[in-house]
Amino acid sequence: MSFDGAMSFDGKVALVTGAARGLGQAYAQALAAEGAAVVVGDMRDCGETVALVEKAGGRVRAVELDVADMASCQAMADAAVESFGRIDGLVNNAALYGALNGGRFEDIDPAEWDAAMAVNVKGIWQCCKAAVPAMREAGGGSIVNVASLAANYGMPYALHYTTSKGAVIGLTRGLARELGAADIRVNAVSPSAVTT
């Protein structure tokens, strides 16, 4: 925090998953605008995000990222340390939603259910596993997991998504208790519907 009360991330390094567009892109831009170096990852090309961050004078590195693959998550964390020397923050934004087929719960394809859990829940766990060692080494940090009001509301006809985001809230609470002693904060935000 700077003297005037404004947040400053000068000298900090943040990872943002699902950063090729939408909320992830906005998170990356906002962090860079406050002085953080950002490493942006997505299965899609992050070229537009990189251009926006660089145009604003920010430092950025893009990586191809599949959060359902632990080696890919570790490669993102390694890229951050290699490029910027540390990791201070992680925004777990990557998720499946628009690609999922909605409908009655008994009609959900089991493969879609598994994919939602692999990306929306396991992906967060794996990104945390990859980033936390460097945060511990840096003396602390912050993790922000993107949940959804779907979990709080109990959104019907997308039970795979709703359940996965409920799991994100539980994961966040448990991890916060586990990592607090290491000065690593873990919080969740629950956005409503966002047009992306």
Side-chain angles (χ1 to χ4, degrees):
M1 192 79 85
S2 68
F3 183 72
D4 64 1
M7 188 66 73
S8 173
F9 293 101
D10 289 339
K12 303 294 185 183
V13 178
L15 311 181
V16 181
T17 72
R21 62 189 182 117
L23 286 175
Q25 187 176 80
Y27 296 145
Q29 287 180 268
L31 285 162
E34 297 300 329
V38 290
V39 177
V40 295
D42 204 306
M43 292 182 75
R44 297 177 185 89
D45 179 60
C46 285
E48 181 180 323
T49 303
V50 168
L52 289 167
V53 170
E54 288 180 339
K55 183 177 179 183
R59 297 176 298 145
V60 61
R61 177 170 175 183
V63 296
E64 185 176 334
L65 174 66
D66 177 1
V67 298
D69 176 53
M70 184 61 206
S72 184
C73 298
Q74 189 60 58
M76 182 181 195
D78 291 346
V81 173
E82 175 188 300
S83 294
F84 303 115
R86 59 189 292 138
I87 298 173
D88 301 285
L90 167 63
V91 179
N92 281 308
N93 173 68
L96 286 180
Y97 175 66
L100 298 173
N101 293 307
R104 294 171 64 134
F105 82 95
E106 67 265 32
D107 296 329
I108 293 173
D109 184 310
E112 273 205 5
W113 181 279
D114 292 344
M117 299 307 150
V119 173
N120 299 2
V121 183
K122 187 178 180 184
I124 288 177
W125 174 59
Q126 292 189 147
C127 287
C128 290
K129 284 175 57 177
V132 162
M135 288 185 188
R136 283 188 173 123
E137 191 170 315
S142 180
I143 297 169
V144 177
N145 298 324
V146 180
S148 170
L149 283 181
N152 302 85
Y153 167 69
M155 185 175 76
Y157 305 109
L159 201 60
H160 40 3
Y161 179 77
T162 300
T163 301
S164 72
K165 291 303 186 171
V168 170
I169 293 168
L171 183 156
T172 299
R173 288 179 172 153
L175 197 58
R177 293 182 186 280
E178 190 168 332
L179 295 179
D183 289 328
I184 298 172
R185 295 178 310 283
V186 188
N187 292 284
V189 295
S190 292
S192 183
V194 177
T195 303
T196 61

